Structure formats: structure tokens, C-alpha cells
Amino acid sequence: MAQFRTCPDTGFAIDLAADKLIKWNAVTAVVFLLVGGLFGILVALTRWPAVHLLDADLFYLALTAHGLDVLLVWIIFFEMALLYFTSSILLKTRLAAPWLGWVQYTLMLVGALITNVAVLQGESSVMFTSYVPMMAAPHFYLGVILFAVGALMGCVVFFSTLYIAKRDKTYEGSIPLVTFGAMTAAIIAVFTILAGAVILIPTFFWSLGFIGNIDTLMYRVIWWGLGHSSQQINVAAQIACWYAIAAILFGAKPLSEKVSRTAFLFYILFLQLASAHHILVDPGISSEWKIFNTSYALYLAVLGSMLHGLTVPGAVEAALRKKGYNRGLFEWLRKAPWGNPVFAGFALSVVLFGFLGGITGVMMGTEQLNIIIHNTLYVPGHFHGTVVVGTTLAFMAMAYWLVPVLWQKELVFPGLAKWQPYLFGLGMGLASIFMMGAGTLGVPRRHWDISFADAMMVHEFPAAAYMMMGLAGISGVIGGIGGGIFILNMVSTILFGKAKVPAPAAEEAPAAPIGGAATEYGSASTLEVPGTFVLALVFLTAFVLYYFVNWKYLASVWGMS
Amino acid sequence: MSEHDSTHAGDGGSIPFMQKLLDSPFILLFIGVAMPTVIYIIWGVMEIVSIPVAP
């Protein structure tokens, strides 16, 4: 029989089994963010030409560990916490099969540890992609497979909890939009994990010597069904967090439930197809496959993102205007709680994800334009604009609310928390911009020494490329310090935080309920959000200009005379 | 009238097809896995296996 406690802050009835699983998954996520972040700083300090910290072997080891721990382990552990939160707690129901939740946690933890050990042993510096014919130690693949199976178990628990909530009628009508967004993430996760199983299980047997050969192109096509789609789980989960934070802080409802859910439906149908942009310069695959996957279909997923980009700030504007912040276009924005790390992280995540990750992703997904920047440092620049300043920042913002609520403790360093989203967001945002700048000048990704100091054939990059690399290094270190402050705050709060003192009448007076998209179906029933429409037009102008500037740039790369 | 009132069961009206679809997690799960499996994986694999082997 499930046992519940009532959260004094939110009034949520929290299933104790879900509570425990959410906490363990969230804490483990933060620990791996620390590990992966430290490796990231080592990578940044090596690619910063004036520092060039690590030797080549250690650089590729650190790069492999950084990619795995932050792109996969930190993010997926936190997403497991979100899946349990958005199903059990938001739907006011018990978590289905908590024992399976612990199987999920154990498999993911054991898998992550095994893979980290394999990387640290130095025989598996194959980077996140582990492209064949580079061969890692068998336990490298085994660890990733165990981790993925664990994540699949988490999805099973999530969908089973949705079923129980519907059967027990714990909600009326449709599930809340935040839960719908998390469900989108879970659906993409299932495809991601199945694609991973299809390619990584044979690769594991290949590493054991049971299979003679893995076709390189086959590996690349199927592996990216795992590698890129795993980042699309993030996009869906991060947008669910955006709606959740808007609801938690302001009681905001989406401008239109129908539009927001349709936008998530576009993700379910089309977002995974973006994986194909990694194959755009590979021979042997037709242009029809490439262009259909990355353009015709993917643009519908991009439309979904642009809809969310309009309706999330629109929901905030509508909610704040309702509270009386009606003067001019932007009073609601000026008077928003910029000193609250939950809001600051959320707002920066929305803006930076759109401008840095979103626009550049569309450019990269265009077959002709992709050739300009394929396999250059532009690519990590792009995904630091999505996964880091988009997803990670959104998850940090969510954690600033979730950790004090779940643990019932005060933040230990509230002053630092005010600054942290700006330090991390702007540091990593600048790192993303400078990486993309260097990539545009031709600097390759995953390269230990672009000066080719010990090579027989030298390539001279322009001085601006070295400057960009240096600035990316400095920005990365600043962002890393921001990430460190977040981890310090979270760990200190959980271990040493002062217990929250309930208000004197807390037992009699119910806590202020969290409304909006987090707990109920319903639209804001207004489109009077002029500030948001002006901001959207600014974004669209930047989008169009950037897109066509790159066509102009392509024309100059391929001189016709 | 809010969107909630006008489109949800209990008001006596029939539920629109799109809402039925969006309220069906397992159908969404099926199409969310089937679409990329067919368009990305199967189509991509068919292209690779149809590449002629070098003599």
C-alpha cells in the first residue's frame, strides 16, 4: 500500500516511494554533472591554445568521459527524476512498481560506473560516438547498454503510472501539459534506447570477438538514432520544465493548450529524424533520405520549437499582465523576478536555447550549408547552445525549486544562487558562440592540437581562429565555475541545509496550490501578449538573417570562377 | 468559455479526434517509435544494403 506525505509548500500528495526515487536520481545526476563538468574544464583548458593542458592521450580520455557523463549520464538521471515527478506527483497518484524504479536506478548507476571505469583505464578513448572501427574495451559498451536498459525501465514505470492515474481517475480530462511534455520525452527515449540496442549490442559482441566486422556507415546511421535522439529527449524534457516553472512561479497557463500539445506532437513525430544531419556528408546515402529527414520532416519539429518559444514567454506575459503589470510592452518583463534563480535560469534557457541552439541547428540541418561546418568546432558550439545553456540551465532552474521543496531545506547559499544562472548561462553561452566562430573559420572538432606542431604537413589557421579558441577556453572556465557553484549549492543544501520552518498555521491553512500547466488542463484564453510577439519578431529576424548569411558564406566558399 | 469547458468530456459533446489522439499515451508511443524507425532507420538501412559491393 502506497504511503503519501503532504508537501507543506505545494500541497502535493507525494508518494514516499516516488519521493525517494526522485531524490536518488536527482542527487546521482548532480554527482555525474560534477564529474563530467571537471572533465569538461580539462578539455576547455587543453583546447585553449595558450594553456594546452593535457597531452594527447589524456585529452581524448577526458573528452570521452566529458561527453558520456554530461551528455548522457547527468541528463538522463535528472530526466528519470522528472519522469517520476511529472507522473506520480503531478497526477496525484502512486508510482507504479517502485521496485522497477530501483532496478532502473541500479542498472543506470552500475552502467555509468562501468563505462567510466572503462574510460579511465585508458583503453576506451573512443569519445561519446565510439565510431567503429575504433574499438573500446567490451565493458565500455556493456556499461552503456546497462545504462540504456535502466532508462528503458524508467520509461516503463512512467507509462505504467500514467495508466494507473487514468484508471484511478486521479485527474479529469487530459493530463497536465507538463506531464504531456515529459511523456513526449519518454516516447523519444524509448526510440532512442531501441536504436541504441540495435547497434550497441552487436558492437559489444564485436569487441568480444564474436562478430568479425561492423559496417562503419551502418554503425553511424543507427548509432545517431541513439546519439542525437538522446539529445531530443532533453529538448522535450527541458520544455516541460519551462512550462512547469512558468506555472510554479506565476500560475501561468499556455496561450493555447491545443497549440502547445500539437507542438509536442510534432516532436513525437519528427524530432528524432534530426539525427540524419550527422550523415549529411556521408557517401552512399541518397539525397532523398538526407533531405527528407533533415529538411521536410525536421522543419515540422522546428515549427514545434518555435511554437513553444512563442507560447512559453507568452504564458508568462499573460500571467503577469493579469497580475497588473500592464504598462507598455515590457513592464511584465522588467518587473519579473530576475533575482530568483528559478526564473533567471528559466529565462536564460529560453533565450539562449532559441538564439544559440535553435537557429544554428536549422542551419546545420540544411544539406548544402552543413558542408561549411561539418565536423568543425561549430558542432560542439551548437550543442553547447542546446544541451548546456538550454537543457542544463533549465534543469538547474528546476532544481532550485525542486530540491528545497522535496528535502524541505533552505538553500545554503541564496546569494550565490542569484548570480549562478548568469555566470553559468553567459559563460557557457559565450563558449558556444566562440566555438561556433572558430568552427566557421575551419577549426576541427575533437582535435588536440590545431597548430599541428608535430605533424609533417602544417595547416595555418587565421589568427582570429586562435583568438576564438582562447576566448572559448576562458568562457568555458567561467561557465564551469558557474556550474561548480550550482553543485556546491545543491550538495550543501541537501547535506547541511537548515530545515524549513513551517508557517504557524500551516496545518490548518492549505498551502497555496500550484496551478497552470503543472497540474491542470486549461489555456490562458488570451492572445494579448504584445511584448512576446515583438520578441518573437526579433528572433525571426535574427533567424532569417543568420540563415541567409550562411548561404552567402557558402557561395564564397565555393568560388565558381 | 474556456477551452477546458468546451472540449472535454462531460459537456455532452463528442471528443474531437485530435484530442482523443493526444489523450492516448500508448498510441502516441507507437507512432513516436514507428515513424523514425521507418523513415530514419529502415529507409537508411535499405539504402546502405543496396550499395553495390566493390568487386
Side-chain angles (χ1 to χ4, degrees), chain A residues 248-278:
Chain A
I248 289 162
L249 292 180
F250 309 113
K253 296 176 176 180
L255 296 180
S256 163
E257 281 274 5
K258 290 174 185 170
V259 169
S260 293
R261 282 172 201 250
T262 305
F264 276 124
L265 179 64
F266 286 155
Y267 280 1
I268 291 170
L269 294 172
F270 304 115
L271 196 54
Q272 299 97 307
L273 308 179
S275 309
H277 82 257
H278 292 277

PDB file of all heavy atoms in Angstrom, chain A residues 248-278:
ATOM      1  N   ILE A 248       4.709  27.249 -11.872  1.00  0.00           N
ATOM      2  CA  ILE A 248       5.066  27.307 -10.451  1.00  0.00           C
ATOM      3  C   ILE A 248       5.230  28.754  -9.989  1.00  0.00           C
ATOM      4  O   ILE A 248       4.734  29.155  -8.936  1.00  0.00           O
ATOM      5  CB  ILE A 248       6.381  26.517 -10.216  1.00  0.00           C
ATOM      6  CG1 ILE A 248       6.123  25.017 -10.364  1.00  0.00           C
ATOM      7  CG2 ILE A 248       6.984  26.844  -8.855  1.00  0.00           C
ATOM      8  CD1 ILE A 248       7.386  24.206 -10.580  1.00  0.00           C
ATOM      9  N   LEU A 249       5.941  29.561 -10.786  1.00  0.00           N
ATOM     10  CA  LEU A 249       6.239  30.927 -10.357  1.00  0.00           C
ATOM     11  C   LEU A 249       5.047  31.862 -10.513  1.00  0.00           C
ATOM     12  O   LEU A 249       4.833  32.752  -9.694  1.00  0.00           O
ATOM     13  CB  LEU A 249       7.420  31.483 -11.157  1.00  0.00           C
ATOM     14  CG  LEU A 249       8.785  30.849 -10.899  1.00  0.00           C
ATOM     15  CD1 LEU A 249       9.840  31.509 -11.773  1.00  0.00           C
ATOM     16  CD2 LEU A 249       9.181  30.982  -9.428  1.00  0.00           C
ATOM     17  N   PHE A 250       4.278  31.682 -11.597  1.00  0.00           N
ATOM     18  CA  PHE A 250       3.259  32.684 -11.919  1.00  0.00           C
ATOM     19  C   PHE A 250       1.856  32.097 -12.070  1.00  0.00           C
ATOM     20  O   PHE A 250       0.921  32.825 -12.408  1.00  0.00           O
ATOM     21  CB  PHE A 250       3.629  33.394 -13.236  1.00  0.00           C
ATOM     22  CG  PHE A 250       5.036  33.911 -13.262  1.00  0.00           C
ATOM     23  CD1 PHE A 250       5.976  33.367 -14.125  1.00  0.00           C
ATOM     24  CD2 PHE A 250       5.444  34.931 -12.409  1.00  0.00           C
ATOM     25  CE1 PHE A 250       7.283  33.824 -14.153  1.00  0.00           C
ATOM     26  CE2 PHE A 250       6.753  35.393 -12.422  1.00  0.00           C
ATOM     27  CZ  PHE A 250       7.680  34.842 -13.301  1.00  0.00           C
ATOM     28  N   GLY A 251       1.724  30.792 -11.901  1.00  0.00           N
ATOM     29  CA  GLY A 251       0.428  30.161 -12.182  1.00  0.00           C
ATOM     30  C   GLY A 251       0.081  30.242 -13.668  1.00  0.00           C
ATOM     31  O   GLY A 251      -1.103  30.233 -14.043  1.00  0.00           O
ATOM     32  N   ALA A 252       1.110  30.338 -14.517  1.00  0.00           N
ATOM     33  CA  ALA A 252       0.872  30.596 -15.946  1.00  0.00           C
ATOM     34  C   ALA A 252       0.245  29.388 -16.644  1.00  0.00           C
ATOM     35  O   ALA A 252       0.635  28.243 -16.383  1.00  0.00           O
ATOM     36  CB  ALA A 252       2.201  30.955 -16.626  1.00  0.00           C
ATOM     37  N   LYS A 253      -0.669  29.694 -17.530  1.00  0.00           N
ATOM     38  CA  LYS A 253      -1.259  28.669 -18.391  1.00  0.00           C
ATOM     39  C   LYS A 253      -0.768  28.934 -19.815  1.00  0.00           C
ATOM     40  O   LYS A 253      -0.543  30.086 -20.182  1.00  0.00           O
ATOM     41  CB  LYS A 253      -2.785  28.758 -18.361  1.00  0.00           C
ATOM     42  CG  LYS A 253      -3.387  28.476 -17.006  1.00  0.00           C
ATOM     43  CD  LYS A 253      -4.892  28.674 -17.052  1.00  0.00           C
ATOM     44  CE  LYS A 253      -5.513  28.303 -15.706  1.00  0.00           C
ATOM     45  NZ  LYS A 253      -6.960  28.473 -15.718  1.00  0.00           N
ATOM     46  N   PRO A 254      -0.637  27.896 -20.619  1.00  0.00           N
ATOM     47  CA  PRO A 254      -0.205  28.140 -22.005  1.00  0.00           C
ATOM     48  C   PRO A 254      -1.237  28.990 -22.740  1.00  0.00           C
ATOM     49  O   PRO A 254      -2.420  28.976 -22.390  1.00  0.00           O
ATOM     50  CB  PRO A 254      -0.124  26.735 -22.597  1.00  0.00           C
ATOM     51  CG  PRO A 254      -1.016  25.897 -21.742  1.00  0.00           C
ATOM     52  CD  PRO A 254      -0.953  26.479 -20.374  1.00  0.00           C
ATOM     53  N   LEU A 255      -0.775  29.724 -23.764  1.00  0.00           N
ATOM     54  CA  LEU A 255      -1.715  30.552 -24.521  1.00  0.00           C
ATOM     55  C   LEU A 255      -2.813  29.675 -25.110  1.00  0.00           C
ATOM     56  O   LEU A 255      -3.967  30.067 -25.157  1.00  0.00           O
ATOM     57  CB  LEU A 255      -0.982  31.309 -25.633  1.00  0.00           C
ATOM     58  CG  LEU A 255       0.063  32.327 -25.155  1.00  0.00           C
ATOM     59  CD1 LEU A 255       0.708  33.009 -26.338  1.00  0.00           C
ATOM     60  CD2 LEU A 255      -0.548  33.347 -24.202  1.00  0.00           C
ATOM     61  N   SER A 256      -2.429  28.516 -25.577  1.00  0.00           N
ATOM     62  CA  SER A 256      -3.415  27.566 -26.096  1.00  0.00           C
ATOM     63  C   SER A 256      -2.915  26.152 -25.839  1.00  0.00           C
ATOM     64  O   SER A 256      -1.850  25.771 -26.329  1.00  0.00           O
ATOM     65  CB  SER A 256      -3.617  27.767 -27.601  1.00  0.00           C
ATOM     66  OG  SER A 256      -4.256  26.627 -28.153  1.00  0.00           O
ATOM     67  N   GLU A 257      -3.686  25.409 -25.075  1.00  0.00           N
ATOM     68  CA  GLU A 257      -3.324  24.006 -24.822  1.00  0.00           C
ATOM     69  C   GLU A 257      -3.204  23.244 -26.134  1.00  0.00           C
ATOM     70  O   GLU A 257      -2.309  22.431 -26.317  1.00  0.00           O
ATOM     71  CB  GLU A 257      -4.395  23.342 -23.952  1.00  0.00           C
ATOM     72  CG  GLU A 257      -4.298  23.678 -22.475  1.00  0.00           C
ATOM     73  CD  GLU A 257      -3.345  22.764 -21.727  1.00  0.00           C
ATOM     74  OE1 GLU A 257      -2.694  21.926 -22.368  1.00  0.00           O
ATOM     75  OE2 GLU A 257      -3.240  22.912 -20.497  1.00  0.00           O
ATOM     76  N   LYS A 258      -4.162  23.506 -27.055  1.00  0.00           N
ATOM     77  CA  LYS A 258      -4.181  22.757 -28.317  1.00  0.00           C
ATOM     78  C   LYS A 258      -2.888  22.990 -29.087  1.00  0.00           C
ATOM     79  O   LYS A 258      -2.286  22.053 -29.624  1.00  0.00           O
ATOM     80  CB  LYS A 258      -5.383  23.191 -29.166  1.00  0.00           C
ATOM     81  CG  LYS A 258      -6.719  22.749 -28.619  1.00  0.00           C
ATOM     82  CD  LYS A 258      -7.847  23.345 -29.446  1.00  0.00           C
ATOM     83  CE  LYS A 258      -9.195  23.031 -28.846  1.00  0.00           C
ATOM     84  NZ  LYS A 258     -10.274  23.774 -29.482  1.00  0.00           N
ATOM     85  N   VAL A 259      -2.474  24.256 -29.148  1.00  0.00           N
ATOM     86  CA  VAL A 259      -1.265  24.578 -29.919  1.00  0.00           C
ATOM     87  C   VAL A 259      -0.035  23.957 -29.252  1.00  0.00           C
ATOM     88  O   VAL A 259       0.816  23.351 -29.916  1.00  0.00           O
ATOM     89  CB  VAL A 259      -1.112  26.111 -30.044  1.00  0.00           C
ATOM     90  CG1 VAL A 259       0.261  26.481 -30.590  1.00  0.00           C
ATOM     91  CG2 VAL A 259      -2.207  26.672 -30.935  1.00  0.00           C
ATOM     92  N   SER A 260       0.054  24.073 -27.929  1.00  0.00           N
ATOM     93  CA  SER A 260       1.239  23.539 -27.232  1.00  0.00           C
ATOM     94  C   SER A 260       1.305  22.023 -27.369  1.00  0.00           C
ATOM     95  O   SER A 260       2.378  21.449 -27.570  1.00  0.00           O
ATOM     96  CB  SER A 260       1.209  23.918 -25.755  1.00  0.00           C
ATOM     97  OG  SER A 260       1.368  25.301 -25.619  1.00  0.00           O
ATOM     98  N   ARG A 261       0.152  21.360 -27.258  1.00  0.00           N
ATOM     99  CA  ARG A 261       0.165  19.892 -27.388  1.00  0.00           C
ATOM    100  C   ARG A 261       0.472  19.479 -28.828  1.00  0.00           C
ATOM    101  O   ARG A 261       1.145  18.480 -29.067  1.00  0.00           O
ATOM    102  CB  ARG A 261      -1.168  19.310 -26.906  1.00  0.00           C
ATOM    103  CG  ARG A 261      -1.219  19.280 -25.394  1.00  0.00           C
ATOM    104  CD  ARG A 261      -2.580  18.901 -24.840  1.00  0.00           C
ATOM    105  NE  ARG A 261      -2.665  19.381 -23.474  1.00  0.00           N
ATOM    106  CZ  ARG A 261      -2.663  18.595 -22.381  1.00  0.00           C
ATOM    107  NH1 ARG A 261      -2.645  17.302 -22.486  1.00  0.00           N
ATOM    108  NH2 ARG A 261      -2.705  19.137 -21.177  1.00  0.00           N
ATOM    109  N   THR A 262      -0.040  20.241 -29.785  1.00  0.00           N
ATOM    110  CA  THR A 262       0.291  19.931 -31.187  1.00  0.00           C
ATOM    111  C   THR A 262       1.785  20.097 -31.423  1.00  0.00           C
ATOM    112  O   THR A 262       2.404  19.318 -32.153  1.00  0.00           O
ATOM    113  CB  THR A 262      -0.516  20.844 -32.131  1.00  0.00           C
ATOM    114  OG1 THR A 262      -1.904  20.699 -31.826  1.00  0.00           O
ATOM    115  CG2 THR A 262      -0.277  20.485 -33.585  1.00  0.00           C
ATOM    116  N   ALA A 263       2.369  21.121 -30.789  1.00  0.00           N
ATOM    117  CA  ALA A 263       3.816  21.321 -30.929  1.00  0.00           C
ATOM    118  C   ALA A 263       4.570  20.109 -30.372  1.00  0.00           C
ATOM    119  O   ALA A 263       5.558  19.639 -30.965  1.00  0.00           O
ATOM    120  CB  ALA A 263       4.245  22.598 -30.212  1.00  0.00           C
ATOM    121  N   PHE A 264       4.120  19.572 -29.243  1.00  0.00           N
ATOM    122  CA  PHE A 264       4.760  18.355 -28.706  1.00  0.00           C
ATOM    123  C   PHE A 264       4.522  17.164 -29.649  1.00  0.00           C
ATOM    124  O   PHE A 264       5.381  16.307 -29.796  1.00  0.00           O
ATOM    125  CB  PHE A 264       4.226  18.036 -27.309  1.00  0.00           C
ATOM    126  CG  PHE A 264       4.911  18.788 -26.204  1.00  0.00           C
ATOM    127  CD1 PHE A 264       4.189  19.569 -25.309  1.00  0.00           C
ATOM    128  CD2 PHE A 264       6.294  18.712 -26.034  1.00  0.00           C
ATOM    129  CE1 PHE A 264       4.825  20.262 -24.276  1.00  0.00           C
ATOM    130  CE2 PHE A 264       6.932  19.400 -25.007  1.00  0.00           C
ATOM    131  CZ  PHE A 264       6.195  20.180 -24.131  1.00  0.00           C
ATOM    132  N   LEU A 265       3.334  17.136 -30.276  1.00  0.00           N
ATOM    133  CA  LEU A 265       3.064  16.050 -31.229  1.00  0.00           C
ATOM    134  C   LEU A 265       4.051  16.100 -32.395  1.00  0.00           C
ATOM    135  O   LEU A 265       4.526  15.053 -32.867  1.00  0.00           O
ATOM    136  CB  LEU A 265       1.620  16.139 -31.743  1.00  0.00           C
ATOM    137  CG  LEU A 265       1.218  15.072 -32.768  1.00  0.00           C
ATOM    138  CD1 LEU A 265       1.259  13.666 -32.148  1.00  0.00           C
ATOM    139  CD2 LEU A 265      -0.179  15.339 -33.342  1.00  0.00           C
ATOM    140  N   PHE A 266       4.382  17.322 -32.855  1.00  0.00           N
ATOM    141  CA  PHE A 266       5.399  17.452 -33.909  1.00  0.00           C
ATOM    142  C   PHE A 266       6.722  16.837 -33.455  1.00  0.00           C
ATOM    143  O   PHE A 266       7.445  16.235 -34.243  1.00  0.00           O
ATOM    144  CB  PHE A 266       5.606  18.919 -34.276  1.00  0.00           C
ATOM    145  CG  PHE A 266       4.492  19.514 -35.097  1.00  0.00           C
ATOM    146  CD1 PHE A 266       4.248  20.878 -35.087  1.00  0.00           C
ATOM    147  CD2 PHE A 266       3.674  18.712 -35.885  1.00  0.00           C
ATOM    148  CE1 PHE A 266       3.219  21.432 -35.839  1.00  0.00           C
ATOM    149  CE2 PHE A 266       2.645  19.257 -36.642  1.00  0.00           C
ATOM    150  CZ  PHE A 266       2.422  20.626 -36.616  1.00  0.00           C
ATOM    151  N   TYR A 267       7.045  17.019 -32.178  1.00  0.00           N
ATOM    152  CA  TYR A 267       8.282  16.412 -31.644  1.00  0.00           C
ATOM    153  C   TYR A 267       8.186  14.880 -31.726  1.00  0.00           C
ATOM    154  O   TYR A 267       9.124  14.214 -32.141  1.00  0.00           O
ATOM    155  CB  TYR A 267       8.489  16.796 -30.186  1.00  0.00           C
ATOM    156  CG  TYR A 267       9.069  18.171 -29.951  1.00  0.00           C
ATOM    157  CD1 TYR A 267       9.373  19.021 -30.997  1.00  0.00           C
ATOM    158  CD2 TYR A 267       9.336  18.610 -28.662  1.00  0.00           C
ATOM    159  CE1 TYR A 267       9.910  20.274 -30.768  1.00  0.00           C
ATOM    160  CE2 TYR A 267       9.877  19.855 -28.420  1.00  0.00           C
ATOM    161  CZ  TYR A 267      10.162  20.689 -29.475  1.00  0.00           C
ATOM    162  OH  TYR A 267      10.696  21.914 -29.232  1.00  0.00           O
ATOM    163  N   ILE A 268       7.028  14.358 -31.269  1.00  0.00           N
ATOM    164  CA  ILE A 268       6.871  12.902 -31.235  1.00  0.00           C
ATOM    165  C   ILE A 268       7.045  12.321 -32.643  1.00  0.00           C
ATOM    166  O   ILE A 268       7.677  11.286 -32.840  1.00  0.00           O
ATOM    167  CB  ILE A 268       5.480  12.534 -30.666  1.00  0.00           C
ATOM    168  CG1 ILE A 268       5.415  12.891 -29.177  1.00  0.00           C
ATOM    169  CG2 ILE A 268       5.167  11.062 -30.877  1.00  0.00           C
ATOM    170  CD1 ILE A 268       4.027  12.807 -28.573  1.00  0.00           C
ATOM    171  N   LEU A 269       6.508  13.023 -33.631  1.00  0.00           N
ATOM    172  CA  LEU A 269       6.533  12.504 -34.997  1.00  0.00           C
ATOM    173  C   LEU A 269       7.875  12.736 -35.698  1.00  0.00           C
ATOM    174  O   LEU A 269       8.342  11.890 -36.451  1.00  0.00           O
ATOM    175  CB  LEU A 269       5.416  13.156 -35.818  1.00  0.00           C
ATOM    176  CG  LEU A 269       3.981  12.815 -35.401  1.00  0.00           C
ATOM    177  CD1 LEU A 269       2.991  13.677 -36.164  1.00  0.00           C
ATOM    178  CD2 LEU A 269       3.707  11.345 -35.655  1.00  0.00           C
ATOM    179  N   PHE A 270       8.469  13.890 -35.478  1.00  0.00           N
ATOM    180  CA  PHE A 270       9.553  14.301 -36.386  1.00  0.00           C
ATOM    181  C   PHE A 270      10.907  14.594 -35.739  1.00  0.00           C
ATOM    182  O   PHE A 270      11.921  14.644 -36.442  1.00  0.00           O
ATOM    183  CB  PHE A 270       9.116  15.563 -37.154  1.00  0.00           C
ATOM    184  CG  PHE A 270       7.828  15.380 -37.896  1.00  0.00           C
ATOM    185  CD1 PHE A 270       6.704  16.110 -37.548  1.00  0.00           C
ATOM    186  CD2 PHE A 270       7.726  14.471 -38.926  1.00  0.00           C
ATOM    187  CE1 PHE A 270       5.505  15.938 -38.227  1.00  0.00           C
ATOM    188  CE2 PHE A 270       6.536  14.285 -39.617  1.00  0.00           C
ATOM    189  CZ  PHE A 270       5.428  15.028 -39.266  1.00  0.00           C
ATOM    190  N   LEU A 271      10.947  14.825 -34.437  1.00  0.00           N
ATOM    191  CA  LEU A 271      12.182  15.364 -33.858  1.00  0.00           C
ATOM    192  C   LEU A 271      13.359  14.398 -33.969  1.00  0.00           C
ATOM    193  O   LEU A 271      14.496  14.805 -34.210  1.00  0.00           O
ATOM    194  CB  LEU A 271      11.941  15.736 -32.389  1.00  0.00           C
ATOM    195  CG  LEU A 271      12.976  16.636 -31.724  1.00  0.00           C
ATOM    196  CD1 LEU A 271      13.204  17.907 -32.525  1.00  0.00           C
ATOM    197  CD2 LEU A 271      12.560  17.005 -30.310  1.00  0.00           C
ATOM    198  N   GLN A 272      13.067  13.094 -33.849  1.00  0.00           N
ATOM    199  CA  GLN A 272      14.173  12.116 -33.882  1.00  0.00           C
ATOM    200  C   GLN A 272      14.862  12.090 -35.242  1.00  0.00           C
ATOM    201  O   GLN A 272      16.016  11.670 -35.360  1.00  0.00           O
ATOM    202  CB  GLN A 272      13.667  10.701 -33.574  1.00  0.00           C
ATOM    203  CG  GLN A 272      13.043  10.525 -32.208  1.00  0.00           C
ATOM    204  CD  GLN A 272      11.535  10.633 -32.276  1.00  0.00           C
ATOM    205  OE1 GLN A 272      11.000  11.586 -32.799  1.00  0.00           O
ATOM    206  NE2 GLN A 272      10.835   9.660 -31.758  1.00  0.00           N
ATOM    207  N   LEU A 273      14.149  12.545 -36.279  1.00  0.00           N
ATOM    208  CA  LEU A 273      14.709  12.475 -37.635  1.00  0.00           C
ATOM    209  C   LEU A 273      15.901  13.414 -37.798  1.00  0.00           C
ATOM    210  O   LEU A 273      16.686  13.286 -38.746  1.00  0.00           O
ATOM    211  CB  LEU A 273      13.626  12.798 -38.665  1.00  0.00           C
ATOM    212  CG  LEU A 273      12.336  11.968 -38.527  1.00  0.00           C
ATOM    213  CD1 LEU A 273      11.328  12.379 -39.573  1.00  0.00           C
ATOM    214  CD2 LEU A 273      12.628  10.479 -38.637  1.00  0.00           C
ATOM    215  N   ALA A 274      16.040  14.359 -36.866  1.00  0.00           N
ATOM    216  CA  ALA A 274      17.183  15.286 -36.934  1.00  0.00           C
ATOM    217  C   ALA A 274      18.510  14.549 -36.866  1.00  0.00           C
ATOM    218  O   ALA A 274      19.545  15.087 -37.261  1.00  0.00           O
ATOM    219  CB  ALA A 274      17.091  16.291 -35.789  1.00  0.00           C
ATOM    220  N   SER A 275      18.483  13.315 -36.393  1.00  0.00           N
ATOM    221  CA  SER A 275      19.713  12.513 -36.319  1.00  0.00           C
ATOM    222  C   SER A 275      20.439  12.491 -37.659  1.00  0.00           C
ATOM    223  O   SER A 275      21.664  12.373 -37.721  1.00  0.00           O
ATOM    224  CB  SER A 275      19.373  11.073 -35.933  1.00  0.00           C
ATOM    225  OG  SER A 275      18.550  11.040 -34.796  1.00  0.00           O
ATOM    226  N   ALA A 276      19.664  12.611 -38.746  1.00  0.00           N
ATOM    227  CA  ALA A 276      20.247  12.471 -40.086  1.00  0.00           C
ATOM    228  C   ALA A 276      21.239  13.567 -40.427  1.00  0.00           C
ATOM    229  O   ALA A 276      22.051  13.390 -41.349  1.00  0.00           O
ATOM    230  CB  ALA A 276      19.132  12.432 -41.129  1.00  0.00           C
ATOM    231  N   HIS A 277      21.219  14.685 -39.687  1.00  0.00           N
ATOM    232  CA  HIS A 277      22.151  15.745 -40.102  1.00  0.00           C
ATOM    233  C   HIS A 277      23.608  15.347 -39.856  1.00  0.00           C
ATOM    234  O   HIS A 277      24.515  15.939 -40.424  1.00  0.00           O
ATOM    235  CB  HIS A 277      21.787  17.100 -39.474  1.00  0.00           C
ATOM    236  CG  HIS A 277      22.274  17.315 -38.080  1.00  0.00           C
ATOM    237  ND1 HIS A 277      21.465  17.210 -36.988  1.00  0.00           N
ATOM    238  CD2 HIS A 277      23.485  17.650 -37.615  1.00  0.00           C
ATOM    239  CE1 HIS A 277      22.163  17.478 -35.907  1.00  0.00           C
ATOM    240  NE2 HIS A 277      23.394  17.734 -36.249  1.00  0.00           N
ATOM    241  N   HIS A 278      23.821  14.312 -39.039  1.00  0.00           N
ATOM    242  CA  HIS A 278      25.197  13.838 -38.842  1.00  0.00           C
ATOM    243  C   HIS A 278      25.700  13.061 -40.059  1.00  0.00           C
ATOM    244  O   HIS A 278      26.885  12.795 -40.179  1.00  0.00           O
ATOM    245  CB  HIS A 278      25.271  12.957 -37.595  1.00  0.00           C
ATOM    246  CG  HIS A 278      25.051  13.734 -36.332  1.00  0.00           C
ATOM    247  ND1 HIS A 278      26.055  14.445 -35.707  1.00  0.00           N
ATOM    248  CD2 HIS A 278      23.941  13.937 -35.595  1.00  0.00           C
ATOM    249  CE1 HIS A 278      25.564  15.048 -34.638  1.00  0.00           C
ATOM    250  NE2 HIS A 278      24.289  14.753 -34.541  1.00  0.00           N
TER     251      HIS A 278
END
